[in-house]
Amino acid sequence: MAIPLPAKYQNLVLFKREPIFTAPLKKPQPGQRVYALMPEQLNDIRRIRSERVELDPGMGGVAPTKIREWIQQGVKITSLDFMLTKRCNFKCTWCFAASGPLATESLSFTRLEATIRQAAKIGTKLFILTGGEPLMYQDRQAQKGFFDVVDCILTTYREAGKEVKILTFDDVALITPAIAAKLASRRIGLCAKGDTLDEELQDYKLQTRGAFRQMMAGYRNLWDAGYGVRNDLPIVVNSVLDHTTFEGMIDLHFWVKEHGMEHSIVPVHYCGNAVGEDQEAGIHSPHVKVLYDLIARIDRDEFNDPWTPWSAFPKNKTCNRNLSGLHVRSSGLVTACSESPAGDPNDPMRTDRYIFGNINEEELADIADSEKLATYREEFQAGVGEYVCNPDVCDLNKHDLCRGGCATRSAYSAMDYATGLISISQDLHRYSTFREDPLCPAWTVLAEQQGVLRPGLLEEIHARLVETSSRLDKARYRQPRRP
């Protein structure tokens, strides 16, 4: 039986779908810049992202300059994602992958082993293991599981005399003390689930009774194993931001930082199951901007961790996967990323443009050398927008610190230039040809520059975040700090 949305959230909207802009947004004039950053500001971003390889979603913690260095060394696939299985212990309301407890599709260990060996030969640096829930991966015929895949990667690279890093996306609920110890002993970076501290809401989002308590137990086991304490055990809490999780995100951020973890926030958009109430009730660019402004202020004041928000991700991280990474789905299909449009027969806007092969039928080295992949990467490199995701108007883009935000959001969601609201994209190929992440804070900045942002909107959103937080000093944070 489906778990209902808790009563206090049932009529919650961030705001009615009224226009954010008082007049249509205009394209920037020649010479007009949304973000004009000083050299020291650019260097601050590089410094934060280069402290260590934090394997956030989309390789967001890796400095683009490091990836460019690998590419110049001849590495054609710097990162490789494996969607080990579609099976999952949860049934997230916004799932893009059709995962769940009854899903059976998974990669065979034999093909994984062969592909890992090929990856080592061509110089792949990073592996990201995803699902479903990767800890549920099992190849019954080969009698292999998740840690067999991990050990295969580590052994293959050790025998080749090469270094490798591994990250796994995990919902934390299955992590026992023994599993936490195994993860730590192998120095696996974690991108862990955590959307809210509201137990009822988290259980609803995952459609599983007791999910929140299971997750908290998993986190305690990870902390006991050294995560959140040791620098060589990076852990990032990945939070989906929608109209129900928005008001609790500040308190969740305090919890994340107090436990020595980093915080990745992913604003929901029109993708997968997030096409109903999750999006219609309203996350838009102003919400992202106000939230990031506030958590950056908290990080500076409370945690001595200063940064200034500009990009679509906390700490000005961005997706770097499309520079030189690939994703292998549980069917074996090799695609651009986990959420890129890729030939799903149930997708009414199906496209095969971003499918580059299948590891069940082809060698990874051949896919890496394919003309289709090379053409795609050239197209992606040239594909920029006209308003904010463009090197002529954004210094993050110009200086190779942002590749247009989230390409998936550009594919499935679009900015309505007349209203400022997000609508469903009618062209999935915007993934590579015309990237304009509609949830980047830069849209709000541009609207302010042109005087078309609804008066008082940012102050209204800020007040809502402050008043609903149980952690903030209301007097200290009541007024937003503007540049």
Side-chain angles (χ1 to χ4, degrees):
M1 180 180 295
I3 299 175
L5 179 67
K8 64 181 177 180
Y9 298 101
Q10 289 181 4
N11 296 314
L12 175 66
V13 292
L14 294 187
F15 63 85
K16 297 179 181 178
R17 287 186 66 86
E18 300 170 349
I20 291 170
F21 300 158
T22 58
L25 198 66
K26 298 176 182 177
K27 294 179 184 178
Q29 296 296 312
Q32 180 186 2
R33 307 189 70 74
V34 180
Y35 292 143
L37 306 185
M38 301 296 289
E40 56 267 28
Q41 293 173 314
L42 296 169
N43 287 333
D44 281 344
I45 297 172
R46 296 187 184 104
R47 176 183 54 78
I48 291 173
R49 292 174 63 178
S50 299
E51 286 177 348
R52 61 180 182 175
V53 180
E54 293 172 356
L55 304 181
D56 297 71
M59 301 166 60
V62 185
T65 49
K66 172 57 69 175
I67 299 174
R68 295 287 186 196
E69 180 184 316
W70 291 336
I71 294 172
Q72 289 170 3
Q73 293 170 358
V75 181
K76 293 186 178 180
I77 301 177
T78 58
S79 70
L80 191 60
D81 301 3
F82 288 134
M83 182 182 182
L84 296 178
T85 178
K86 272 195 173 184
R87 192 178 174 205
C88 187
N89 47 320
F90 294 146
K91 298 168 286 185
C92 297
T93 59
W94 46 50
C95 183
F96 69 88
S99 298
L102 301 180
T104 57
E105 187 177 272
S106 63
L107 293 167
S108 80
F109 183 80
T110 299
R111 290 309 301 162
L112 283 167
E113 187 176 35
T115 305
I116 290 165
R117 288 188 181 130
Q118 295 164 39
K121 287 181 181 179
I122 64 177
T124 300
K125 305 288 186 180
L126 313 168
F127 285 86
I128 298 95
L129 306 180
T130 75
E133 165 51 54
L135 287 175
M136 296 185 78
Y137 171 74
Q138 211 172 26
D139 183 332
R140 295 185 183 279
Q141 184 173 356
Q143 295 186 326
K144 301 292 184 179
F146 172 80
F147 283 105
D148 294 301
V149 177
V150 171
D151 289 344
C152 179
I153 296 171
L154 294 175
T155 299
T156 300
Y157 274 72
R158 183 171 59 250
E159 291 175 351
K162 296 180 178 181
E163 293 185 357
V164 67
K165 290 185 180 294
I166 304 174
L167 163 79
T168 189
F169 281 67
D170 195 88
D171 64 35
V172 191
L174 302 181
I175 296 181
T176 62
I179 289 175
K182 286 184 177 181
L183 292 168
S185 68
R186 292 159 174 81
R187 296 186 180 180
I188 298 175
L190 292 178
C191 190
K193 178 177 286 297
D195 307 305
T196 176
L197 294 177
D198 184 320
E199 181 175 346
E200 266 193 296
L201 181 60
Q202 187 69 84
D203 285 0
Y204 162 75
K205 288 298 182 185
L206 307 181
Q207 284 297 292
T208 306
R209 300 284 185 193
F212 178 83
R213 294 185 182 184
Q214 294 168 23
M215 292 166 63
M216 290 302 104
Y219 274 112
R220 288 191 292 272
N221 293 332
L222 288 171
W223 301 329
D224 288 344
Y227 284 93
V229 179
R230 288 168 44 183
N231 287 333
D232 63 338
L233 296 178
I235 179 169
V236 178
V237 176
N238 195 36
S239 303
V240 175
L241 179 70
D242 76 347
H243 71 292
T244 60
T245 62
F246 181 76
E247 291 182 346
M249 199 57 65
I250 294 300
D251 288 3
L252 177 63
H253 185 72
F254 269 96
W255 178 84
V256 169
K257 297 288 284 189
E258 287 169 347
H259 286 93
M261 302 181 289
E262 290 294 329
H263 200 184
S264 172
I265 297 173
V266 182
V268 76
H269 67 109
Y270 292 105
C271 182
N273 290 338
V275 294
E277 66 174 26
D278 283 332
Q279 176 53 46
E280 293 297 335
I283 288 291
H284 294 82
S285 171
H287 299 95
V288 177
K289 175 167 176 50
V290 172
L291 177 64
Y292 288 3
D293 283 347
L294 187 51
I295 65 172
R297 187 174 164 189
I298 292 167
D299 283 351
R300 182 186 63 246
D301 295 349
E302 312 292 341
F303 298 102
N304 191 30
D305 186 13
W307 59 282
T308 302
W310 286 295
S311 87
F313 301 88
K315 289 196 171 179
N316 297 303
K317 296 175 182 178
T318 187
C319 181
N320 292 315
R321 181 186 286 112
N322 285 286
L323 288 174
S324 56
L326 286 176
H327 177 82
V328 181
R329 302 203 169 171
S330 54
S331 61
L333 288 178
V334 179
T335 68
C337 82
S338 58
E339 299 175 48
S340 62
D344 184 344
N346 298 316
D347 192 330
M349 296 189 287
R350 176 177 178 174
T351 176
D352 292 332
R353 190 164 175 169
Y354 306 117
I355 298 176
F356 308 114
N358 191 314
I359 65 165
N360 294 323
E361 303 165 359
E362 302 164 74
E363 299 297 300
L364 183 66
D366 293 336
I367 295 172
D369 288 330
S370 70
E371 182 178 347
K372 186 174 184 180
L373 179 58
T375 299
Y376 157 73
R377 286 179 172 166
E378 290 175 3
E379 179 179 271
F380 192 93
Q381 183 74 13
V384 297
E386 297 176 340
Y387 286 77
V388 297
C389 296
N390 186 298
D392 291 334
V393 298
C394 176
D395 274 356
L396 293 176
N397 196 299
K398 178 181 179 180
H399 293 278
D400 204 23
L401 290 168
C402 181
R403 305 309 310 162
C406 175
T408 299
R409 288 201 289 259
S410 296
Y412 287 98
S413 304
M415 170 62 67
D416 184 328
Y417 307 125
T419 66
L421 298 172
I422 296 177
S423 59
I424 297 177
S425 170
Q426 300 304 311
D427 182 5
L428 293 183
H429 296 151
R430 283 186 169 221
Y431 183 89
S432 59
T433 62
F434 189 80
R435 289 190 311 286
E436 288 191 327
D437 184 339
L439 286 168
C440 181
W443 291 101
T444 300
V445 175
L446 182 61
E448 285 186 293
Q449 290 177 353
Q450 296 184 6
V452 300
L453 188 68
R454 190 203 306 173
L457 177 60
L458 300 185
E459 291 75 12
E460 174 189 329
I461 296 171
H462 177 88
R464 188 166 188 167
L465 281 173
V466 172
E467 293 307 316
T468 54
S469 171
S470 64
R471 298 298 308 275
L472 284 177
D473 181 329
K474 302 292 193 291
R476 183 179 187 184
Y477 287 94
R478 182 163 288 120
Q479 296 299 320
R481 182 170 293 170
R482 306 304 300 276

